[in-house]
Amino acid sequence: IAMETYIRQRQLIMSPLITSHVIGENEPLTAVFNKVIAAKEVNHKGQGLWVSLKLLPGDLAQVQKDFSHLVDRSTAVARKMGFPEIILPGDVRNDIYVTLIQGEFDKGKKKTPKNVEVTMSVHDEDGNLQEKAIHPGAGYEGVSEYKSVVYYQVKQPCWYETVKVRL
């Protein structure tokens, strides 16, 4: 109980990401995090991304009531990936998660590698496009097509982008 009380009373502050010399445009986000963590002397001059986390006790309705200054009706709620141990009646989870990982593209006759963007869409067995079936993140409305980050002149791009497909 002491640890649970300690977690409730504390905020976890993460260090800023430094954009000046750490982030490379062709690197996955995990590589960027590793570089930030490994950097010994960083002069960020107040720029970066700051993330603050706080554990709020209770279910969604209780948290919205007790912490209305932090969580309101416009706050995006992300459900846990996968299924809970107990599935309640009426809890429909017809979701699959698709992760675009990486690709290898030959530059062909060009002198430099190609620019690469991947577009994902959902079709039924007859080839008809399923409207608004892809959800790129919590709080987003469904989209018919999802377009990945564009990599310019990279032979082996790595995306690691996950979307939810609601069936």
Side-chain angles (χ1 to χ4, degrees), residues 81-83 92-99 120-123 133-136 162-167:
M81 286 176 65
F83 295 101
V92 179
R93 292 295 299 265
N94 292 333
D95 308 333
I96 60 171
Y97 293 86
V98 177
T99 302
M120 290 189 262
S121 58
V122 178
H123 299 264
I134 300 174
H135 297 264
T162 301
V163 296
K164 178 173 73 172
V165 178
R166 183 163 291 157
L167 302 175

Side-chain angles (χ1 to χ4, degrees), residues 144-164:
S144 300
E145 285 188 337
Y146 174 79
K147 294 184 182 287
S148 72
V149 171
V150 178
Y151 280 100
Y152 295 97
Q153 300 180 351
V154 177
K155 183 180 177 182
Q156 296 176 321
C158 296
W159 289 276
Y160 295 100
E161 296 178 26
T162 301
V163 296
K164 178 173 73 172

Side-chain angles (χ1 to χ4, degrees), residues 51-95:
V51 178
S52 175
L53 303 173
K54 184 170 185 164
L55 181 64
L56 303 174
D59 63 356
L60 180 60
Q62 188 66 40
V63 168
Q64 285 176 332
K65 180 181 174 188
D66 294 345
F67 300 94
S68 59
H69 60 289
L70 296 175
V71 181
D72 61 14
R73 301 251 180 244
S74 66
T75 303
V77 177
R79 294 183 69 178
K80 181 179 173 184
M81 286 176 65
F83 295 101
E85 290 182 22
I86 300 172
I87 300 175
L88 300 173
D91 188 16
V92 179
R93 292 295 299 265
N94 292 333
D95 308 333

Side-chain angles (χ1 to χ4, degrees), residues 20-38:
S20 61
H21 67 280
V22 176
I23 295 178
E25 65 181 48
N26 297 328
E27 294 178 306
L29 192 56
T30 52
V32 173
F33 287 146
N34 290 337
K35 282 187 177 183
V36 170
I37 291 167

